[in-house]
Amino acid sequence: MSDTSQSVELNPPKSAGDQPGTAKVRSQGVTKRILLWLTSMNLAVTLLVILAIASVIGTVLKQNESFNSYLDVFGPFWFAVFRNLSLYDVYSATWFVAILLFLVASTSSCVARNAPAFLRDIRSFRLNAQEKSLRAFAHKMDMKSDAKPESLVAPIQALLERAGFKSRVKTQPHEILISGRKGGMNRIGYVLTHLGIIVILLGGLLDSKMQLKLMDALGMVKVETANIPVSEVPDISKIPVGGLQAFRGTVNIPEHKWGDVVFIGLKDGYVVQNLPFKIFVNKFAIEHYDTGMPKSYMSNVTLTNKETGQEITKTIEVNHPLHYMGYNIFQSSFGDGGTKLKMSAWQLSGRAGVAQPIDSAVFDKKRFDFNNQNYQLEFTDFRMYNINPVMDDKGVVHQKNYGPSVTFKLRNAAGEAIEYQNYFLPISFKGHQYFLSGVKRSIGGQQQYLYIPADQKGSIDTFMAYLAMLSDQAKMQQIAARLIGDVSSSVDGKSAMSNEKLTQSASASIAELVHIFVQQGFPAMQAKIESALAQRNLSPEAKKKAEQASISVVRSVLERAFLETLAAQDGKQEFTDKDAKFFDDAMDAISALPAYGSPIFVQPKSFEQIQSTGLEVSRAPGAIWVTIGSIMLVLGIFMNFYIHYRRQWVLLKPDDKGTRILLAGSDIRKNIDFDKDFAAFSSELMAATESKPSESERPA
Amino acid sequence: MSVPKEHMMPMLDASLKLNKDPGRRIGIADVLYTLIALGAAVFAYYHYREYLWGPQIGMLFGFAIGVSFLGWLWPATRWLVGVVAVISLFTVYQYGLYAPGGEAVGRIKLHEIQEGHFFLKFFLSSPAATMWMVTLFALAMPTYFFGMWRRSAFAGKVGSALVWSGIAMGFIGFFARWRESYLINFDYGHIPVSNLYEVFVVFSVFTSLLYLYYERRYQTRALGGFVMTVVTAALAFLMWYQFAQAANTIEPLVPALKSWWMKIHVPANFIGYGSFAISAMVGVAYLIKEKVGGDGVNDRLPSLAVMDDIMYKSIALGFAFFTIATILGAMWAAEAWGGYWSWDPKETWALIVWLNYAAWLHLRLSKGWRGTAMAWWSVGGLLVTTFAFLGVNMFLSGLHSYGKL
């Protein structure tokens, strides 16, 4: 930051990097030494590099997650280490802010030290330059002219002016010195660049969480960690209007509700900031492209000034925030605002196939008992659109809308919960329709689906009726008995009656197998068959045969039961391919039921959508300073890079016949451009003064 | 005479004599060109004023003024602007024949139009023009290297011609794509700088154009092969991205990107990225030359001093525009996300890139560092820049996730 190039101009540029007056350091006081250290280039570059490296941390480690998720990832030891280093919110960590402040201090002291000297320098013509010091420049040239020194002054000044230099002349008894300079704005550029950085950093600091962290450290405010309504948040966690100069907070407000606070995340909780106005949400809307992608998010809100009662109604959109009473209000997220739901709860076991209506809403909870067990339904979300990628027959992926869904948790008495996502409408796969229920057993776990086949009317009724039939053991026994009767009568009509007892016991055990299949699934039924067969002494081959026979009998019963269900439904007698597919799907669904984890199936019927909008409210008094600083920075950078600060001296000394001319020049940037320009100027000077190059001479 | 010795070296002399004329007067051609540019802006404003508002009007006229200034600074760009303007207007006219009144026709119909028309199919539609750009740029690299190796001025000129043509085709494809987005669906319409595919085209074109500036400024084509290497690498990625992931499909914008800020934030960024890429490749050439013995009489590469100077110039330019881009980004963020700085990974990496080059510039300007260390640093700088450009999208998540791989 300290631009040492000023030392170049009169001192030989041997050690461009050294600070002027380094040798004197030791004799000076501690304050001066600290100041010198603060303004040193090494410190500045070191700070830039350290800041760059420190910034990497926050991009690698996800910031501001919940403490629990960090604990999961790092384990207790590293979790504590990282927490103590404030790595979870690294950019507002004390040590990080300290680096920034250090940078401000370093930059400020550089500007403070250099700016006055620079500003003096750009007004000075350096007419006290001695021949000796001019000869120390890298760019110099000796010439000889036959003209008298006095006659050369005017053409040289004209030449300098044409090259953009302002010039002054100093006449002394034995020499005339013409000194030119240009590009003083370069030095202003230096000052602007560095002042700009300071202004930006201070503006940014003003808008940071610094004040809030300070209040927290001093105990003026307490972080609330519980998820409770605003009315229950204690006053110590609330900040009055104007209590914070700058903040960024968020709030979710459902449609047709209002809010007058925002939540500011701090550590592992939040604090509540009161606002001087109320935000009433009239409507939240999402527009979609034809692809189903969201096109815009809009909140129509009415703001009421709490003091004057004045109201304004405006629409806030992404990229179109609202500015009100010195606050900025942004569209930042959206969610459900408590959509009202009407559902049917189908029992899956016990009295299967019986539906009870449930009226609830998102964020509501519903308790129920089943088989003397307590359960709780917690409705967590409603989604209007579920756009999922689906691969078609050709392998091309399309976006497909599955329609509305409701997400809920089913919590048992032990507090364990399984998350379900059930869709309102049957979804078609390869020409067949299914009611979908997504199951998630753990947070972040894979979602698995239960596919319940929809009947030809697109309803769940046939499946549920069939399930009811299968769960009715008496009925199953009847069907089994009838089936056995049919089989034995076709084999031997006379012995049918004598076998009645046998039939009864056989049909009872078949009904039992069906019951096990419905309640516990296919593997359990298979196990039951095996254990029953194990009691008899059979050869492995016979055992296998008997097992297959049992399964096929059960299957026949299931089929028969399905036909009876169809008949009962709409008097249907024939069995089509569609029915066969339905039967297979139903079998799949029923085998999956035991793993479904819920004694009921919640079928969403209808909804009344209520959305909520996530608004971000901020106050940023530093923003204007950041803007001003940015303008200074950009102007300064361009001035610094593209305006050349140059000096050129022409020293005229009378000779026995004519004049010895010494041309010397400097450009603080020492780029090739100056080599070229100086060479060009040299030849122009030779032409203007009608001189020739000469060997350099030692000054007298 | 004690002017520094390198002034007497013929090579360097040559590179300096043909430098930009600092006090170039404004000639009749400059005035005419400016009038045409402004006239075009006025025409566009008059015809489309109902669609334009505030910043867009500023951008329209600002663009005309900027192009005029560039034409004065670098006359060759007038030809580029002229050719691109005429051909792009022709493309728009051709599309207009099939989609009267500027109506959207949909993706499938657009494809049919492109396939059914000779010029559109082979040259002017954005897929065709972009493919031409890729081909021309990819040919330029070996041509430049061949020219350097055989000391063939002719091959060098062919290389430059290839780059100029590639840039023209890149811009033609760019404007065609812009129009096509509206033809698919009026709602989709946007300037094609919104995703990784589109900005890779911008990167290639900007880097090549900036390179041509230094080529003329320093009168050396020897660095062309090096710069076009990084451009070709970018295009190799582009081709993979297009064919393996169908990334060239025109998609509608996510709500956060629907802002006029995008039109200036993204291009400013790519002047920065392009300049940093050039400085790194010149750094590579510098290090190679130093390794094989430094400056000599029969050099194929420019002198070390010249390359050092190009490195500085291009980092300075890149730094200036990167600063502007980052500030514009912050202003946009203040409008879209609620705060001008959120320490989002992309923002943070932009800061890291900025700090890196700030340190480089401090060492060079104030401590007078030159040579090998600075060349290594500018090569390393490209790695940091590449991570900020690509790595953040690939490995980190955040608000800038527009170009997932």
Side-chain angles (χ1 to χ4, degrees), chain A residues 3-25:
Chain A
D3 204 320
T4 56
S5 41
Q6 62 165 349
S7 66
V8 173
E9 274 127 40
L10 284 175
N11 300 319
K14 268 182 247 160
S15 49
D18 287 348
Q19 301 299 317
T22 314
K24 283 186 241 157
V25 173

Side-chain angles (χ1 to χ4, degrees), chain B residues 316-334:
Chain B
L317 182 77
F319 185 76
F321 276 90
F322 196 74
T323 308
I324 293 176
T326 308
I327 290 168
L328 291 174
M331 289 174 162
W332 184 8

Side-chain angles (χ1 to χ4, degrees), chain A residues 51 55 59 91-92 96 100 200-201 203-205 207-209 248 330 616 620 623 626 630, chain B residues 265 322-355 399-400:
Chain A
L51 193 60
S55 302
T59 68
Y91 302 114
S92 49
F96 192 85
L100 282 176
I200 289 173
L201 285 175
L205 218 54
D207 287 351
S208 73
K209 273 187 188 168
R248 273 171 83 174
F330 304 87
E616 180 168 320
V626 173
S630 298
Chain B
H265 168 63
F322 196 74
T323 308
I324 293 176
T326 308
I327 290 168
L328 291 174
M331 289 174 162
W332 184 8
E335 217 173 276
W337 299 333
Y340 46 83
W341 199 260
S342 313
W343 294 102
D344 162 71
K346 195 82 171 182
E347 280 176 353
T348 309
W349 273 94
L351 176 72
I352 292 166
V353 168
W354 190 89
L355 289 169
L399 298 164
H400 265 87

Side-chain angles (χ1 to χ4, degrees), chain B residues 173-193:
Chain B
F174 177 89
F175 289 115
R177 188 179 170 95
W178 198 342
R179 183 74 193 96
E180 286 159 13
S181 66
Y182 283 90
L183 284 172
I184 291 174
N185 185 328
F186 200 77
D187 282 347
Y188 288 20
H190 64 270
I191 183 170
V193 294

Side-chain angles (χ1 to χ4, degrees), chain A residues 70-373:
Chain A
Y70 289 123
L71 195 57
D72 275 357
V73 177
F74 299 121
F77 176 73
W78 289 110
F79 167 75
V81 171
F82 291 166
R83 190 192 49 201
N84 291 338
L85 289 171
S86 309
L87 294 194
Y88 306 134
D89 189 8
V90 71
Y91 302 114
S92 49
T94 319
W95 62 268
F96 192 85
V97 176
I99 297 178
L100 282 176
L101 285 174
F102 224 121
L103 197 65
V104 173
S106 161
T107 315
S108 318
S109 30
C110 278
V111 174
R113 204 188 64 160
N114 290 323
F118 283 177
L119 297 180
R120 264 199 312 279
D121 186 63
I122 58 173
R123 274 174 297 164
S124 144
F125 277 94
R126 307 218 165 197
L127 284 163
N128 54 352
Q130 301 296 308
E131 183 173 354
K132 197 179 159 195
S133 54
L134 292 183
R135 285 194 181 282
F137 283 112
H139 295 89
K140 57 187 177 286
M141 191 174 177
D142 284 287
M143 300 165 220
K144 225 167 178 155
S145 171
D146 292 337
K148 287 276 161 220
E150 293 75 17
S151 68
L152 292 177
V153 173
I156 291 172
Q157 274 200 291
L159 189 65
L160 279 169
E161 198 182 333
R162 228 175 61 211
F165 288 84
K166 279 184 185 155
S167 63
R168 291 285 184 279
V169 185
K170 185 178 172 189
T171 314
Q172 279 180 309
H174 301 295
E175 61 178 43
I176 299 172
L177 180 67
I178 304 162
S179 171
R181 61 161 162 77
K182 72 168 179 182
M185 290 305 274
N186 172 289
R187 307 280 69 194
I188 307 275
Y190 163 87
V191 176
L192 274 181
T193 308
H194 293 86
L195 272 184
I197 292 286
I198 297 167
V199 172
I200 289 173
L201 285 175
L202 291 179
L205 218 54
L206 201 63
D207 287 351
S208 73
K209 273 187 188 168
M210 196 179 53
Q211 191 194 349
L212 183 59
K213 292 194 81 171
L214 208 66
M215 285 166 73
D216 176 50
L218 296 175
M220 292 158 71
V221 65
K222 198 170 154 282
V223 172
E224 176 60 61
T225 51
N227 193 4
I228 48 175
V230 180
S231 52
E232 290 170 27
V233 173
D235 280 347
I236 185 74
S237 298
K238 283 184 177 167
I239 298 167
V241 172
L244 279 177
Q245 283 305 304
F247 65 85
R248 273 171 83 174
T250 53
V251 61
N252 289 311
I253 308 173
E255 288 173 316
H256 314 302
K257 295 265 167 65
W258 58 266
D260 62 350
V261 297
V262 287
F263 301 88
I264 307 170
L266 189 65
K267 293 202 276 200
D268 55 341
Y270 60 89
V271 295
V272 173
Q273 165 74 55
N274 290 324
L275 299 174
F277 51 87
K278 283 184 181 182
I279 307 171
F280 183 85
V281 178
N282 301 308
K283 175 127 193 76
F284 172 77
I286 307 177
E287 282 184 348
H288 291 84
Y289 291 111
D290 56 0
T291 57
M293 262 177 65
K295 182 175 150 193
S296 67
Y297 306 106
M298 288 180 287
S299 297
N300 186 270
V301 296
T302 299
L303 303 175
T304 313
N305 186 328
K306 279 186 188 168
E307 254 175 47
T308 63
Q310 268 183 323
E311 284 187 359
I312 58 160
T313 297
K314 286 268 154 98
T315 298
I316 303 170
E317 213 179 322
V318 176
N319 273 314
H320 300 282
L322 178 61
H323 306 286
Y324 183 66
M325 293 176 74
Y327 293 77
N328 314 306
I329 309 169
F330 304 87
Q331 180 67 56
S332 93
S333 65
F334 64 94
D336 196 86
T339 294
K340 290 177 186 157
L341 302 162
K342 283 192 195 303
M343 295 156 288
S344 291
W346 295 90
Q347 295 188 19
L348 294 177
S349 56
R351 294 187 56 217
V354 175
Q356 274 178 317
I358 308 178
D359 274 10
S360 189
V362 172
F363 306 129
D364 274 3
K365 290 168 183 172
K366 204 109 198 169
R367 291 179 161 282
F368 68 95
D369 285 350
F370 192 85
N371 279 350
N372 299 323
Q373 293 235 20

Side-chain angles (χ1 to χ4, degrees), chain A residues 1-5 16-17 41-42 44-45 48-49 51-53 55-56 58-60 62 91 96 100 103 138-142 194 197 200 203-204 207 248 288-291 293-297 318-321 330-331 616 618 620 622-623 626-627 630-631 633-634 637-638 640-642 668-679 682 693-696, chain B residues 1-4 6-7 12 16-17 19-22 53 107 184-185 187-188 217-218 251-259 261 303 305-307 309 312-313 315-321 323-324 327 331-346 348-349 351-352 354-356 358-359 361-368 370 377 387 396-397:
Chain A
M1 319 247 147
S2 73
D3 204 320
T4 56
S5 41
M41 196 66 228
N42 292 344
V45 173
L48 292 177
V49 173
L51 193 60
I53 293 168
S55 302
V56 175
T59 68
V60 179
K62 237 180 158 205
Y91 302 114
F96 192 85
L100 282 176
L103 197 65
H139 295 89
K140 57 187 177 286
M141 191 174 177
D142 284 287
H194 293 86
I197 292 286
I200 289 173
D207 287 351
R248 273 171 83 174
H288 291 84
Y289 291 111
D290 56 0
T291 57
M293 262 177 65
K295 182 175 150 193
S296 67
Y297 306 106
V318 176
N319 273 314
H320 300 282
F330 304 87
Q331 180 67 56
E616 180 168 320
S618 80
V626 173
T627 309
S630 298
I631 293 168
L633 176 65
V634 170
I637 286 177
F638 274 94
N640 220 342
F641 288 159
Y642 297 108
I668 54 156
R669 290 289 174 245
K670 297 191 287 290
N671 288 327
I672 290 184
D673 314 74
F674 186 57
D675 300 348
K676 182 216 104 177
D677 292 343
F678 187 79
S682 304
S694 72
E695 289 304 306
S696 98
Chain B
M1 163 137 179
S2 63
V3 169
E6 60 256 17
H7 278 254
L12 191 59
L16 291 172
K17 228 185 281 165
N19 207 334
K20 163 195 81 150
D21 184 356
W53 52 278
R107 218 181 268 284
I184 291 174
N185 185 328
D187 282 347
Y188 288 20
R217 179 94 146 75
Y218 291 86
E251 298 286 357
L253 290 180
V254 299
L257 288 183
K258 295 181 75 140
S259 165
W261 286 101
S303 74
V306 165
M307 288 199 281
D309 200 60
Y312 160 71
K313 290 267 161 58
I315 283 183
L317 182 77
F319 185 76
F321 276 90
T323 308
I324 293 176
I327 290 168
M331 289 174 162
W332 184 8
E335 217 173 276
W337 299 333
Y340 46 83
W341 199 260
S342 313
W343 294 102
D344 162 71
K346 195 82 171 182
T348 309
W349 273 94
L351 176 72
I352 292 166
W354 190 89
L355 289 169
N356 174 56
L361 285 164
H362 274 90
L363 286 176
R364 183 178 160 112
L365 294 179
S366 295
K367 293 216 88 169
R370 301 283 155 107
W377 195 334
F387 189 83
L396 310 172
S397 60

Side-chain angles (χ1 to χ4, degrees), chain B residues 98-242:
Chain B
Y98 296 92
E103 289 292 315
V105 296
R107 218 181 268 284
I108 295 161
K109 184 79 176 17
L110 175 69
H111 188 68
E112 279 169 17
I113 295 171
Q114 286 170 345
E115 286 297 304
H117 186 288
F118 177 77
F119 281 111
L120 290 178
K121 183 175 181 184
F122 292 107
F123 298 100
L124 302 180
S125 70
S126 76
T130 309
M131 205 50 84
W132 273 107
M133 177 200 79
V134 172
T135 313
L136 291 163
F137 281 163
L139 285 174
M141 178 189 70
T143 312
Y144 271 127
F145 274 134
F146 179 81
M148 182 183 72
W149 174 48
R150 304 297 299 174
R151 298 175 201 283
S152 161
F154 176 72
K157 279 183 189 165
V158 172
S160 299
L162 286 170
V163 176
W164 276 113
S165 328
I167 291 169
M169 289 317 283
F171 275 121
I172 289 163
F174 177 89
F175 289 115
R177 188 179 170 95
W178 198 342
R179 183 74 193 96
E180 286 159 13
S181 66
Y182 283 90
L183 284 172
I184 291 174
N185 185 328
F186 200 77
D187 282 347
Y188 288 20
H190 64 270
I191 183 170
V193 294
S194 70
N195 61 29
L196 208 51
Y197 174 86
E198 292 170 343
V199 296
F200 256 87
V201 174
V202 174
F203 171 80
S204 309
V205 170
F206 276 23
T207 308
S208 307
L209 194 59
L210 287 164
Y211 160 73
L212 285 179
Y213 177 77
Y214 293 109
E215 177 179 289
R216 164 184 159 280
R217 179 94 146 75
Y218 291 86
Q219 286 298 305
T220 171
R221 295 196 161 94
L223 297 168
F226 292 91
V227 176
M228 294 317 286
T229 301
V230 79
V231 171
T232 309
L235 294 173
F237 171 83
L238 188 80
M239 289 293 95
W240 170 81
Y241 201 33
Q242 172 170 345

